[in-house]
Amino acid sequence: MKLSARAAFMANLEASMLSGFLATVDDPKINDFHKNQRRISVFFVVLISIGFFQALWVN
């Protein structure tokens, strides 16, 4: 079974996050990953909120 380097990296990253190990590591790549994950989450919350308020405004 052939596995790309990116897929292996993401699998290792996910496994480390589940075990809680990454909470104690000060690595720039991990910090960037957490920042991007937070930004994406905030973006979707804002997008859903705008859609909700727009639906209320129309009715």
Side-chain angles (χ1 to χ4, degrees):
M1 184 167 121
K2 191 171 182 180
L3 187 65
S4 69
R6 175 110 174 123
F9 172 77
M10 292 305 291
N12 288 335
L13 184 64
E14 183 178 356
S16 294
M17 289 180 74
L18 289 175
S19 69
F21 172 71
L22 293 179
T24 62
V25 176
D26 189 24
D27 185 12
K29 286 186 178 183
I30 294 171
N31 291 338
D32 289 342
F33 179 80
H34 284 297
K35 284 180 188 176
N36 289 336
Q37 189 178 21
R38 233 176 283 129
R39 287 178 185 157
I40 290 170
S41 297
V42 168
F43 173 74
F44 280 115
V45 167
V46 168
L47 189 65
I48 290 169
S49 298
I50 289 172
F52 178 73
F53 286 121
Q54 185 178 11
L56 287 177
W57 186 267
V58 171
N59 291 332

Short mmCIF file of all heavy atoms in Angstrom, two decimals:
data_model
loop_
_atom_site.label_atom_id
_atom_site.label_comp_id
_atom_site.label_asym_id
_atom_site.label_seq_id
_atom_site.Cartn_x
_atom_site.Cartn_y
_atom_site.Cartn_z
N MET A 1 0.85 -1.17 0.00
CA MET A 1 0.00 0.00 0.00
C MET A 1 0.89 1.24 0.00
O MET A 1 1.73 1.41 0.87
CB MET A 1 -0.89 -0.01 1.24
CG MET A 1 -1.86 1.12 1.28
SD MET A 1 -3.09 0.80 2.54
CE MET A 1 -2.84 2.21 3.58
N LYS A 2 0.69 2.07 -1.00
CA LYS A 2 1.49 3.27 -1.13
C LYS A 2 0.77 4.44 -0.47
O LYS A 2 -0.41 4.64 -0.68
CB LYS A 2 1.74 3.55 -2.61
CG LYS A 2 2.77 4.61 -2.84
CD LYS A 2 3.12 4.70 -4.30
CE LYS A 2 4.20 5.74 -4.47
NZ LYS A 2 4.58 5.88 -5.86
N LEU A 3 1.51 5.20 0.33
CA LEU A 3 0.94 6.32 1.07
C LEU A 3 1.77 7.55 0.77
O LEU A 3 3.00 7.52 0.87
CB LEU A 3 0.97 6.01 2.57
CG LEU A 3 0.28 6.97 3.51
CD1 LEU A 3 -1.23 6.98 3.24
CD2 LEU A 3 0.52 6.57 4.94
N SER A 4 1.11 8.64 0.40
CA SER A 4 1.84 9.86 0.09
C SER A 4 2.38 10.48 1.38
O SER A 4 1.89 10.21 2.48
CB SER A 4 0.94 10.86 -0.62
OG SER A 4 -0.04 11.35 0.27
N ALA A 5 3.40 11.31 1.22
CA ALA A 5 4.01 11.96 2.39
C ALA A 5 3.00 12.87 3.08
O ALA A 5 2.97 12.98 4.31
CB ALA A 5 5.24 12.75 1.96
N ARG A 6 2.17 13.55 2.31
CA ARG A 6 1.17 14.46 2.87
C ARG A 6 0.14 13.67 3.70
O ARG A 6 -0.24 14.09 4.80
CB ARG A 6 0.47 15.21 1.75
CG ARG A 6 -0.67 16.09 2.20
CD ARG A 6 -0.31 17.52 2.06
NE ARG A 6 -1.46 18.34 2.37
CZ ARG A 6 -1.43 19.26 3.30
NH1 ARG A 6 -0.33 19.50 3.95
NH2 ARG A 6 -2.48 19.99 3.56
N ALA A 7 -0.31 12.54 3.17
CA ALA A 7 -1.29 11.73 3.90
C ALA A 7 -0.69 11.19 5.19
O ALA A 7 -1.35 11.16 6.23
CB ALA A 7 -1.79 10.60 3.02
N ALA A 8 0.57 10.78 5.13
CA ALA A 8 1.24 10.27 6.34
C ALA A 8 1.39 11.38 7.37
O ALA A 8 1.17 11.17 8.57
CB ALA A 8 2.60 9.68 5.98
N PHE A 9 1.76 12.59 6.92
CA PHE A 9 1.91 13.73 7.81
C PHE A 9 0.59 14.05 8.50
O PHE A 9 0.54 14.25 9.71
CB PHE A 9 2.42 14.94 7.04
CG PHE A 9 2.43 16.21 7.86
CD1 PHE A 9 3.41 16.43 8.80
CD2 PHE A 9 1.44 17.16 7.68
CE1 PHE A 9 3.42 17.59 9.56
CE2 PHE A 9 1.44 18.32 8.44
CZ PHE A 9 2.43 18.53 9.38
N MET A 10 -0.50 14.08 7.73
CA MET A 10 -1.80 14.42 8.30
C MET A 10 -2.27 13.33 9.27
O MET A 10 -2.86 13.64 10.30
CB MET A 10 -2.83 14.62 7.18
CG MET A 10 -2.56 15.85 6.33
SD MET A 10 -2.43 17.37 7.29
CE MET A 10 -4.10 17.58 7.82
N ALA A 11 -2.00 12.06 8.96
CA ALA A 11 -2.39 10.98 9.87
C ALA A 11 -1.61 11.08 11.18
O ALA A 11 -2.18 10.92 12.26
CB ALA A 11 -2.13 9.63 9.20
N ASN A 12 -0.32 11.37 11.10
CA ASN A 12 0.48 11.53 12.31
C ASN A 12 0.04 12.74 13.11
O ASN A 12 -0.01 12.70 14.34
CB ASN A 12 1.96 11.64 11.97
CG ASN A 12 2.54 10.32 11.51
OD1 ASN A 12 2.04 9.27 11.85
ND2 ASN A 12 3.59 10.38 10.72
N LEU A 13 -0.27 13.81 12.42
CA LEU A 13 -0.72 15.03 13.09
C LEU A 13 -2.04 14.78 13.82
O LEU A 13 -2.20 15.17 14.98
CB LEU A 13 -0.88 16.15 12.07
CG LEU A 13 -1.27 17.52 12.61
CD1 LEU A 13 -0.18 18.07 13.52
CD2 LEU A 13 -1.52 18.48 11.47
N GLU A 14 -2.97 14.10 13.16
CA GLU A 14 -4.26 13.80 13.79
C GLU A 14 -4.08 12.89 15.01
O GLU A 14 -4.70 13.12 16.05
CB GLU A 14 -5.19 13.15 12.78
CG GLU A 14 -6.56 12.87 13.33
CD GLU A 14 -7.49 12.26 12.31
OE1 GLU A 14 -7.11 12.12 11.15
OE2 GLU A 14 -8.62 11.92 12.71
N ALA A 15 -3.23 11.87 14.88
CA ALA A 15 -3.00 10.96 16.00
C ALA A 15 -2.38 11.69 17.17
O ALA A 15 -2.74 11.46 18.34
CB ALA A 15 -2.11 9.81 15.56
N SER A 16 -1.46 12.60 16.90
CA SER A 16 -0.82 13.36 17.97
C SER A 16 -1.81 14.31 18.64
O SER A 16 -1.77 14.50 19.86
CB SER A 16 0.35 14.16 17.42
OG SER A 16 1.37 13.31 16.98
N MET A 17 -2.70 14.90 17.86
CA MET A 17 -3.69 15.81 18.44
C MET A 17 -4.67 15.05 19.33
O MET A 17 -5.10 15.55 20.37
CB MET A 17 -4.42 16.56 17.34
CG MET A 17 -3.55 17.59 16.65
SD MET A 17 -4.41 18.47 15.37
CE MET A 17 -5.46 19.51 16.36
N LEU A 18 -5.02 13.84 18.93
CA LEU A 18 -5.95 13.04 19.73
C LEU A 18 -5.34 12.63 21.06
O LEU A 18 -6.03 12.56 22.08
CB LEU A 18 -6.40 11.81 18.95
CG LEU A 18 -7.33 12.07 17.77
CD1 LEU A 18 -7.59 10.77 17.01
CD2 LEU A 18 -8.63 12.68 18.24
N SER A 19 -4.03 12.38 21.06
CA SER A 19 -3.39 11.96 22.31
C SER A 19 -3.07 13.14 23.22
O SER A 19 -2.72 12.94 24.38
CB SER A 19 -2.10 11.18 21.99
OG SER A 19 -1.12 12.05 21.45
N GLY A 20 -3.15 14.36 22.70
CA GLY A 20 -2.87 15.54 23.50
C GLY A 20 -1.41 15.94 23.54
O GLY A 20 -1.03 16.89 24.21
N PHE A 21 -0.58 15.25 22.79
CA PHE A 21 0.85 15.54 22.79
C PHE A 21 1.14 16.92 22.23
O PHE A 21 2.02 17.62 22.71
CB PHE A 21 1.60 14.48 21.98
CG PHE A 21 3.04 14.78 21.76
CD1 PHE A 21 3.94 14.71 22.81
CD2 PHE A 21 3.51 15.14 20.52
CE1 PHE A 21 5.28 14.99 22.63
CE2 PHE A 21 4.85 15.43 20.33
CZ PHE A 21 5.73 15.35 21.38
N LEU A 22 0.40 17.33 21.21
CA LEU A 22 0.70 18.60 20.54
C LEU A 22 0.40 19.82 21.40
O LEU A 22 0.86 20.91 21.11
CB LEU A 22 -0.05 18.69 19.22
CG LEU A 22 0.41 17.69 18.17
CD1 LEU A 22 -0.41 17.84 16.91
CD2 LEU A 22 1.88 17.86 17.87
N ALA A 23 -0.36 19.64 22.45
CA ALA A 23 -0.66 20.77 23.33
C ALA A 23 0.59 21.22 24.08
O ALA A 23 0.66 22.34 24.54
CB ALA A 23 -1.75 20.39 24.32
N THR A 24 1.58 20.34 24.18
CA THR A 24 2.80 20.67 24.90
C THR A 24 3.96 21.03 23.99
O THR A 24 5.03 21.36 24.47
CB THR A 24 3.23 19.50 25.80
OG1 THR A 24 3.52 18.37 24.97
CG2 THR A 24 2.14 19.13 26.78
N VAL A 25 3.76 20.97 22.68
CA VAL A 25 4.83 21.20 21.72
C VAL A 25 4.72 22.63 21.19
O VAL A 25 3.64 23.09 20.83
CB VAL A 25 4.74 20.20 20.55
CG1 VAL A 25 5.78 20.50 19.49
CG2 VAL A 25 4.92 18.79 21.06
N ASP A 26 5.86 23.32 21.13
CA ASP A 26 5.89 24.67 20.57
C ASP A 26 6.57 24.61 19.21
O ASP A 26 7.76 24.86 19.08
CB ASP A 26 6.63 25.62 21.51
CG ASP A 26 6.50 27.07 21.08
OD1 ASP A 26 5.52 27.38 20.38
OD2 ASP A 26 7.38 27.87 21.43
N ASP A 27 5.81 24.22 18.20
CA ASP A 27 6.31 24.06 16.84
C ASP A 27 5.58 25.06 15.94
O ASP A 27 4.35 25.14 15.99
CB ASP A 27 6.07 22.63 16.38
CG ASP A 27 6.66 22.33 15.02
OD1 ASP A 27 7.45 23.16 14.53
OD2 ASP A 27 6.34 21.27 14.46
N PRO A 28 6.29 25.80 15.12
CA PRO A 28 5.62 26.79 14.25
C PRO A 28 4.59 26.18 13.31
O PRO A 28 3.54 26.77 13.07
CB PRO A 28 6.77 27.41 13.45
CG PRO A 28 8.01 27.10 14.19
CD PRO A 28 7.75 25.87 14.99
N LYS A 29 4.85 25.00 12.77
CA LYS A 29 3.88 24.36 11.86
C LYS A 29 2.60 24.00 12.61
O LYS A 29 1.51 24.17 12.08
CB LYS A 29 4.48 23.11 11.23
CG LYS A 29 5.51 23.41 10.17
CD LYS A 29 5.95 22.15 9.48
CE LYS A 29 6.95 22.47 8.39
NZ LYS A 29 7.34 21.27 7.65
N ILE A 30 2.74 23.52 13.82
CA ILE A 30 1.56 23.15 14.61
C ILE A 30 0.79 24.39 15.01
O ILE A 30 -0.44 24.43 14.96
CB ILE A 30 1.97 22.30 15.82
CG1 ILE A 30 2.54 20.97 15.34
CG2 ILE A 30 0.80 22.09 16.77
CD1 ILE A 30 3.17 20.15 16.41
N ASN A 31 1.51 25.44 15.38
CA ASN A 31 0.84 26.70 15.73
C ASN A 31 0.08 27.26 14.54
O ASN A 31 -1.04 27.75 14.67
CB ASN A 31 1.85 27.72 16.24
CG ASN A 31 2.40 27.33 17.59
OD1 ASN A 31 1.79 26.58 18.34
ND2 ASN A 31 3.58 27.84 17.92
N ASP A 32 0.69 27.19 13.34
CA ASP A 32 0.00 27.65 12.13
C ASP A 32 -1.23 26.81 11.85
O ASP A 32 -2.27 27.32 11.44
CB ASP A 32 0.94 27.61 10.93
CG ASP A 32 2.02 28.68 11.00
OD1 ASP A 32 1.85 29.65 11.77
OD2 ASP A 32 3.03 28.53 10.27
N PHE A 33 -1.11 25.50 12.07
CA PHE A 33 -2.25 24.60 11.86
C PHE A 33 -3.40 24.98 12.78
O PHE A 33 -4.55 25.07 12.35
CB PHE A 33 -1.81 23.16 12.10
CG PHE A 33 -2.92 22.16 11.94
CD1 PHE A 33 -3.31 21.74 10.68
CD2 PHE A 33 -3.57 21.65 13.05
CE1 PHE A 33 -4.33 20.82 10.54
CE2 PHE A 33 -4.59 20.73 12.92
CZ PHE A 33 -4.97 20.31 11.65
N HIS A 34 -3.10 25.23 14.06
CA HIS A 34 -4.14 25.61 15.01
C HIS A 34 -4.76 26.96 14.64
O HIS A 34 -5.98 27.13 14.74
CB HIS A 34 -3.59 25.66 16.43
CG HIS A 34 -3.39 24.32 17.05
ND1 HIS A 34 -4.42 23.46 17.30
CD2 HIS A 34 -2.27 23.70 17.47
CE1 HIS A 34 -3.95 22.36 17.85
NE2 HIS A 34 -2.63 22.47 17.96
N LYS A 35 -3.95 27.92 14.21
CA LYS A 35 -4.47 29.23 13.80
C LYS A 35 -5.39 29.09 12.61
O LYS A 35 -6.48 29.69 12.57
CB LYS A 35 -3.33 30.18 13.45
CG LYS A 35 -2.60 30.72 14.64
CD LYS A 35 -1.48 31.64 14.19
CE LYS A 35 -0.60 32.05 15.35
NZ LYS A 35 0.54 32.87 14.91
N ASN A 36 -4.97 28.31 11.62
CA ASN A 36 -5.80 28.13 10.43
C ASN A 36 -7.09 27.39 10.76
O ASN A 36 -8.15 27.72 10.22
CB ASN A 36 -5.03 27.37 9.35
CG ASN A 36 -3.94 28.21 8.73
OD1 ASN A 36 -4.00 29.43 8.76
ND2 ASN A 36 -2.94 27.57 8.19
N GLN A 37 -7.01 26.42 11.65
CA GLN A 37 -8.21 25.69 12.05
C GLN A 37 -9.19 26.64 12.76
O GLN A 37 -10.39 26.60 12.52
CB GLN A 37 -7.81 24.54 12.97
CG GLN A 37 -8.94 23.59 13.28
CD GLN A 37 -8.46 22.43 14.15
OE1 GLN A 37 -7.44 22.53 14.82
NE2 GLN A 37 -9.19 21.35 14.14
N ARG A 38 -8.66 27.51 13.62
CA ARG A 38 -9.50 28.48 14.31
C ARG A 38 -10.12 29.47 13.32
O ARG A 38 -11.31 29.80 13.42
CB ARG A 38 -8.66 29.24 15.34
CG ARG A 38 -9.26 29.22 16.70
CD ARG A 38 -8.36 29.90 17.73
NE ARG A 38 -7.26 29.00 18.08
CZ ARG A 38 -5.98 29.33 18.09
NH1 ARG A 38 -5.61 30.53 17.78
NH2 ARG A 38 -5.07 28.45 18.41
N ARG A 39 -9.34 29.94 12.37
CA ARG A 39 -9.86 30.89 11.37
C ARG A 39 -10.97 30.28 10.54
O ARG A 39 -11.98 30.93 10.26
CB ARG A 39 -8.73 31.36 10.46
CG ARG A 39 -7.78 32.30 11.12
CD ARG A 39 -6.67 32.69 10.19
NE ARG A 39 -5.70 33.52 10.88
CZ ARG A 39 -4.45 33.66 10.50
NH1 ARG A 39 -4.01 33.03 9.44
NH2 ARG A 39 -3.64 34.43 11.18
N ILE A 40 -10.78 29.03 10.14
CA ILE A 40 -11.81 28.37 9.33
C ILE A 40 -13.08 28.19 10.16
O ILE A 40 -14.18 28.42 9.65
CB ILE A 40 -11.28 27.02 8.81
CG1 ILE A 40 -10.20 27.27 7.74
CG2 ILE A 40 -12.40 26.16 8.24
CD1 ILE A 40 -9.44 26.04 7.32
N SER A 41 -12.94 27.82 11.42
CA SER A 41 -14.11 27.65 12.29
C SER A 41 -14.85 28.98 12.45
O SER A 41 -16.08 29.02 12.35
CB SER A 41 -13.69 27.13 13.66
OG SER A 41 -13.11 25.87 13.54
N VAL A 42 -14.13 30.05 12.71
CA VAL A 42 -14.75 31.37 12.87
C VAL A 42 -15.43 31.79 11.57
O VAL A 42 -16.54 32.32 11.58
CB VAL A 42 -13.71 32.41 13.33
CG1 VAL A 42 -14.26 33.82 13.22
CG2 VAL A 42 -13.26 32.12 14.74
N PHE A 43 -14.78 31.53 10.44
CA PHE A 43 -15.35 31.89 9.15
C PHE A 43 -16.70 31.20 8.95
O PHE A 43 -17.67 31.83 8.55
CB PHE A 43 -14.39 31.51 8.02
CG PHE A 43 -14.97 31.68 6.65
CD1 PHE A 43 -15.13 32.93 6.10
CD2 PHE A 43 -15.37 30.58 5.92
CE1 PHE A 43 -15.67 33.10 4.83
CE2 PHE A 43 -15.91 30.72 4.66
CZ PHE A 43 -16.06 31.98 4.12
N PHE A 44 -16.77 29.90 9.25
CA PHE A 44 -18.03 29.18 9.06
C PHE A 44 -19.09 29.62 10.05
O PHE A 44 -20.27 29.69 9.69
CB PHE A 44 -17.81 27.67 9.12
CG PHE A 44 -17.27 27.11 7.83
CD1 PHE A 44 -16.02 26.54 7.79
CD2 PHE A 44 -18.01 27.17 6.67
CE1 PHE A 44 -15.51 26.04 6.61
CE2 PHE A 44 -17.52 26.67 5.48
CZ PHE A 44 -16.26 26.09 5.45
N VAL A 45 -18.73 29.96 11.26
CA VAL A 45 -19.70 30.46 12.23
C VAL A 45 -20.27 31.80 11.75
O VAL A 45 -21.48 32.03 11.79
CB VAL A 45 -19.07 30.59 13.63
CG1 VAL A 45 -19.96 31.40 14.56
CG2 VAL A 45 -18.81 29.22 14.22
N VAL A 46 -19.40 32.66 11.25
CA VAL A 46 -19.86 33.96 10.73
C VAL A 46 -20.74 33.75 9.51
O VAL A 46 -21.79 34.39 9.37
CB VAL A 46 -18.65 34.87 10.41
CG1 VAL A 46 -19.07 36.09 9.61
CG2 VAL A 46 -17.95 35.28 11.69
N LEU A 47 -20.34 32.86 8.63
CA LEU A 47 -21.13 32.59 7.42
C LEU A 47 -22.51 32.05 7.76
O LEU A 47 -23.52 32.51 7.21
CB LEU A 47 -20.37 31.59 6.55
CG LEU A 47 -20.91 31.35 5.15
CD1 LEU A 47 -20.79 32.62 4.32
CD2 LEU A 47 -20.13 30.23 4.50
N ILE A 48 -22.58 31.13 8.70
CA ILE A 48 -23.88 30.57 9.11
C ILE A 48 -24.72 31.64 9.81
O ILE A 48 -25.93 31.74 9.59
CB ILE A 48 -23.67 29.34 10.02
CG1 ILE A 48 -23.10 28.19 9.19
CG2 ILE A 48 -24.96 28.94 10.72
CD1 ILE A 48 -22.62 27.01 10.01
N SER A 49 -24.08 32.49 10.62
CA SER A 49 -24.81 33.56 11.30
C SER A 49 -25.39 34.55 10.30
O SER A 49 -26.53 34.99 10.44
CB SER A 49 -23.90 34.29 12.28
OG SER A 49 -23.45 33.41 13.27
N ILE A 50 -24.60 34.92 9.31
CA ILE A 50 -25.09 35.84 8.29
C ILE A 50 -26.28 35.23 7.56
O ILE A 50 -27.29 35.91 7.31
CB ILE A 50 -23.96 36.21 7.31
CG1 ILE A 50 -22.95 37.11 8.01
CG2 ILE A 50 -24.51 36.89 6.06
CD1 ILE A 50 -21.69 37.38 7.21
N GLY A 51 -26.19 33.96 7.21
CA GLY A 51 -27.30 33.29 6.55
C GLY A 51 -28.54 33.25 7.42
O GLY A 51 -29.66 33.46 6.94
N PHE A 52 -28.34 33.00 8.71
CA PHE A 52 -29.47 32.96 9.64
C PHE A 52 -30.14 34.32 9.75
O PHE A 52 -31.37 34.44 9.66
CB PHE A 52 -28.98 32.48 11.01
CG PHE A 52 -30.05 32.44 12.06
CD1 PHE A 52 -31.02 31.45 12.02
CD2 PHE A 52 -30.08 33.37 13.07
CE1 PHE A 52 -32.01 31.40 13.00
CE2 PHE A 52 -31.06 33.33 14.03
CZ PHE A 52 -32.03 32.34 14.00
N PHE A 53 -29.34 35.37 9.94
CA PHE A 53 -29.91 36.71 10.07
C PHE A 53 -30.54 37.18 8.77
O PHE A 53 -31.54 37.89 8.78
CB PHE A 53 -28.86 37.70 10.56
CG PHE A 53 -28.53 37.53 12.01
CD1 PHE A 53 -27.24 37.26 12.42
CD2 PHE A 53 -29.51 37.62 12.98
CE1 PHE A 53 -26.92 37.08 13.75
CE2 PHE A 53 -29.22 37.45 14.32
CZ PHE A 53 -27.93 37.18 14.70
N GLN A 54 -29.97 36.79 7.65
CA GLN A 54 -30.56 37.15 6.37
C GLN A 54 -31.90 36.46 6.20
O GLN A 54 -32.86 37.06 5.69
CB GLN A 54 -29.62 36.78 5.22
CG GLN A 54 -30.11 37.24 3.88
CD GLN A 54 -29.14 36.90 2.76
OE1 GLN A 54 -28.21 36.14 2.98
NE2 GLN A 54 -29.36 37.47 1.61
N ALA A 55 -32.01 35.22 6.63
CA ALA A 55 -33.29 34.50 6.53
C ALA A 55 -34.34 35.16 7.42
O ALA A 55 -35.50 35.24 7.06
CB ALA A 55 -33.10 33.04 6.92
N LEU A 56 -33.94 35.63 8.58
CA LEU A 56 -34.88 36.33 9.46
C LEU A 56 -35.28 37.68 8.88
O LEU A 56 -36.42 38.12 9.04
CB LEU A 56 -34.26 36.54 10.85
CG LEU A 56 -34.13 35.30 11.72
CD1 LEU A 56 -33.43 35.68 13.03
CD2 LEU A 56 -35.49 34.71 12.02
N TRP A 57 -34.36 38.35 8.24
CA TRP A 57 -34.61 39.69 7.70
C TRP A 57 -35.63 39.63 6.55
O TRP A 57 -36.47 40.50 6.42
CB TRP A 57 -33.29 40.29 7.22
CG TRP A 57 -33.44 41.71 6.79
CD1 TRP A 57 -33.68 42.17 5.55
CD2 TRP A 57 -33.34 42.86 7.62
NE1 TRP A 57 -33.73 43.53 5.54
CE2 TRP A 57 -33.53 43.99 6.81
CE3 TRP A 57 -33.11 43.04 8.97
CZ2 TRP A 57 -33.49 45.27 7.30
CZ3 TRP A 57 -33.07 44.32 9.47
CH2 TRP A 57 -33.26 45.41 8.65
N VAL A 58 -35.56 38.58 5.72
CA VAL A 58 -36.44 38.46 4.57
C VAL A 58 -37.87 38.21 5.03
O VAL A 58 -38.82 38.74 4.47
CB VAL A 58 -35.96 37.32 3.63
CG1 VAL A 58 -36.97 37.01 2.55
CG2 VAL A 58 -34.62 37.69 3.03
N ASN A 59 -38.05 37.41 6.06
CA ASN A 59 -39.40 37.11 6.53
C ASN A 59 -39.85 38.19 7.40
O ASN A 59 -40.45 38.72 7.95
CB ASN A 59 -39.42 35.78 7.29
CG ASN A 59 -39.17 34.63 6.33
OD1 ASN A 59 -39.50 34.75 5.17
ND2 ASN A 59 -38.61 33.57 6.83
#
